[in-house]
Amino acid sequence: MNQLLLSLLFLFYLSPNLHAQQNYSGNAVMDCDNSDATGPSPAFLYTCNGKNRSCQAFLIYKSQPPYNTISSISNLLSADPLELARINNFSSSAVFPTDKEEIVPVLCSCSGKYYQATTSYTIPSNYDTYFTIANYTYEGLATCSSLIHENNYSEFGLDIGMKLQVPLRCACPTSNQTKNGTKYLLSYLVSWGDEVRNVSRRFNASTNSVTYANGFTEDNPTVFPFTTILIPLSNEPSSSQTIIHYSLPEATGEVESRLLGTRTRKKTSVRLPDAVAYVLLLYSSTML
Ligand SMILES: *[C@@H]1O[C@H](CO)[C@@H](O)[C@H](O)[C@H]1NC(C)=O
Ligand SMILES: *[C@@H]1O[C@H](CO)[C@@H](O)[C@H](O)[C@H]1NC(C)=O
Ligand SMILES: *[C@@H]1O[C@H](CO)[C@@H](O)[C@H](O)[C@H]1NC(C)=O
Ligand SMILES: *[C@@H]1O[C@H](CO)[C@@H](O)[C@H](O)[C@H]1NC(C)=O
Ligand SMILES: *[C@@H]1O[C@H](CO)[C@@H](O)[C@H](O)[C@H]1NC(C)=O
Ligand SMILES: *[C@@H]1O[C@H](CO)[C@@H](O)[C@H](O)[C@H]1NC(C)=O
Ligand SMILES: *[C@@H]1O[C@H](CO)[C@@H](O)[C@H](O)[C@H]1NC(C)=O
Ligand SMILES: *[C@@H]1O[C@H](CO)[C@@H](O)[C@H](O)[C@H]1NC(C)=O
Ligand SMILES: *[C@@H]1O[C@H](CO)[C@@H](O)[C@H](O)[C@H]1NC(C)=O
């Protein structure tokens, strides 16, 4: 009895803010069997409810081989390579370090009940499923349910060379947000260890505006890796606001071995300044 009451209270506590501009999906995006028959579901994409039916929007994508150059990322996400290079302050031939956040400018438009930035993906391997494409290739910028909905290939019939339509999660500001000075919404990809408060500060957004944008019921709610949250921006985002995430052990090993110029893959986690110091140390010891 008490437990029932507690779980009811818990559900009430978790239920989205009615005036929210969008609702946070939580881990529902990890499920491929979501339904939106009764209305828009945040496990698919963001609801088309803004002031404009299309707008300039920004996504965060973390570079991972083979998607670690301007050309491969712009192909994967159908973004303009020149814009991508400009906004990330990067030369078009350079290689991004693994797990470096890239800002991706996209055109976001309503398609049916959802906003989406549209791209397409040609399946490169036998191991791909709608889930792996959404979670691994697109890192959560696409969702399994919306991929299934958008493509008529059966879930188990995906094969090399098939071309999928991939809607990416983006949104346009509502009139309430526009009134408050929001010009763009950034679809931020949550990483391990991220806190909403810190991410908001990094992108110069008030906690209030982020809480309101995502229908959060508390100021620093729990958010899950490989989901997106919306960050309202009053200016274009800048590469100086992006960071490299070091939480995945394999990724750290790769960055480290690249920095050291060796092929060893140590699993110890290092921070960039340490790695740079280590390279300098090795360098100076060879000079002696
Ligand atoms: C805008 O804000 C007002 C007052 O806070 C609220 O009543 C209204 O529902 C909001 N509109 C939308 C579209 O959320
Ligand atoms: C957010 O969820 C609430 C409650 O389920 C719903 O009333 C509201 O329409 C949703 N907002 C959007 C933008 O989907
Ligand atoms: C909405 O459309 C108007 C008119 O085209 C434009 O001036 C404004 O910048 C757009 N707002 C957003 C948020 O894209
Ligand atoms: C999604 O991908 C990440 C790695 O990119 C992985 O750690 C995580 O377990 C995946 N999620 C699920 C539910 O498999
Ligand atoms: C998808 O739908 C189109 C048009 O209805 C059809 O031509 C095509 O064969 C379908 N593909 C599959 C795999 O069912
Ligand atoms: C507008 O900004 C004020 C002050 O930061 C905040 O309290 C309010 O919730 C914001 N409203 C919207 C619609 O974002
Ligand atoms: C977030 O910021 C708080 C205080 O500014 C800090 O204590 C905390 O370690 C930060 N969390 C992360 C994950 O960076
Ligand atoms: C941060 O936002 C405030 C107002 O919200 C603005 O005045 C300031 O210029 C912004 N700072 C940066 C670095 O964008
Ligand atoms: C862009 O890169 C150059 C050189 O790498 C650096 O001096 C400059 O501060 C960077 N600009 C921004 C906005 O980060």
Side-chain angles (χ1 to χ4, degrees):
M1 188 57 200
N2 265 342
Q3 275 201 326
L4 180 68
L5 200 68
L6 269 179
S7 42
L8 281 178
L9 275 174
F10 190 61
L11 276 179
F12 178 73
Y13 180 65
L14 280 182
S15 69
N17 173 353
L18 286 179
H19 291 303
Q21 305 306 280
Q22 298 288 350
N23 292 320
Y24 177 53
S25 67
N27 267 336
V29 288
M30 299 300 161
D31 193 342
C32 292
D33 304 324
N34 292 295
S35 160
D36 63 350
T38 57
S41 155
F44 284 65
L45 297 160
Y46 290 115
T47 306
C48 176
N49 63 356
K51 187 167 186 247
N52 292 1
R53 292 183 58 82
S54 84
C55 65
Q56 162 84 69
F58 298 93
L59 317 175
I60 291 290
Y61 183 78
K62 282 180 292 176
S63 46
Q64 53 165 338
Y67 308 110
N68 55 359
T69 59
I70 294 287
S71 64
S72 57
I73 295 176
S74 62
N75 261 330
L76 182 70
L77 302 172
S78 295
D80 177 352
L82 292 177
E83 270 293 283
L84 194 62
R86 179 191 65 80
I87 202 162
N88 291 291
N89 196 21
F90 225 68
S91 75
S92 48
S93 58
V95 174
F96 293 112
T98 295
D99 281 325
K100 160 89 171 57
E101 292 177 349
E102 257 67 68
I103 300 166
V104 184
V106 292
L107 176 69
C108 185
S109 307
C110 290
S111 169
K113 50 191 164 191
Y114 297 115
Y115 278 117
Q116 63 178 54
T118 309
T119 184
S120 64
Y121 179 68
T122 303
I123 297 180
S125 97
N126 260 332
Y127 299 106
D128 274 314
T129 64
Y130 284 121
F131 180 79
T132 62
I133 294 167
N135 181 63
Y136 291 85
T137 307
Y138 286 94
E139 301 175 349
L141 289 177
T143 62
C144 189
S145 296
S146 65
L147 280 177
I148 291 173
H149 187 255
E150 196 93 347
N151 293 282
N152 59 2
Y153 304 118
S154 105
E155 209 171 328
F156 305 104
L158 295 185
D159 211 343
I160 298 177
M162 286 178 172
K163 191 172 177 185
L164 301 183
Q165 292 304 306
V166 181
L168 303 173
R169 296 173 67 85
C170 64
C172 298
T174 61
S175 34
N176 273 2
Q177 287 172 317
T178 304
K179 261 183 252 155
N180 253 18
T182 297
K183 285 218 195 75
Y184 313 105
L185 293 170
L186 170 77
S187 300
Y188 178 79
L189 200 54
V190 176
S191 288
W192 299 104
D194 269 341
E195 284 184 51
V196 171
R197 204 178 11 206
N198 306 30
V199 174
S200 310
R201 200 182 307 126
R202 185 144 64 83
F203 289 98
N204 197 26
S206 71
T207 315
N208 262 347
S209 73
V210 174
T211 301
Y212 183 72
N214 296 280
F216 292 137
T217 48
E218 5 162 13
D219 275 356
N220 201 29
T222 304
V223 288
F224 304 95
F226 311 102
T227 64
T228 62
I229 58 174
L230 291 171
I231 310 286
L233 303 175
S234 46
N235 294 304
E236 212 179 55
S238 145
S239 62
S240 62
Q241 295 167 315
T242 63
I243 60 172
I244 304 180
H245 291 269
Y246 283 105
S247 29
L248 296 173
E250 310 88 76
T252 312
E254 260 177 37
V255 169
E256 187 191 18
S257 59
R258 195 173 305 144
L259 278 169
L260 295 178
T262 69
R263 300 191 58 84
T264 55
R265 284 175 63 95
K266 286 190 212 150
K267 288 282 181 182
T268 50
S269 133
V270 287
R271 288 171 178 281
L272 189 58
D274 294 346
V276 170
Y278 187 30
V279 170
L280 286 177
L281 192 76
L282 280 183
Y283 182 71
S284 55
S285 60
T286 58
M287 297 303 282
L288 286 175

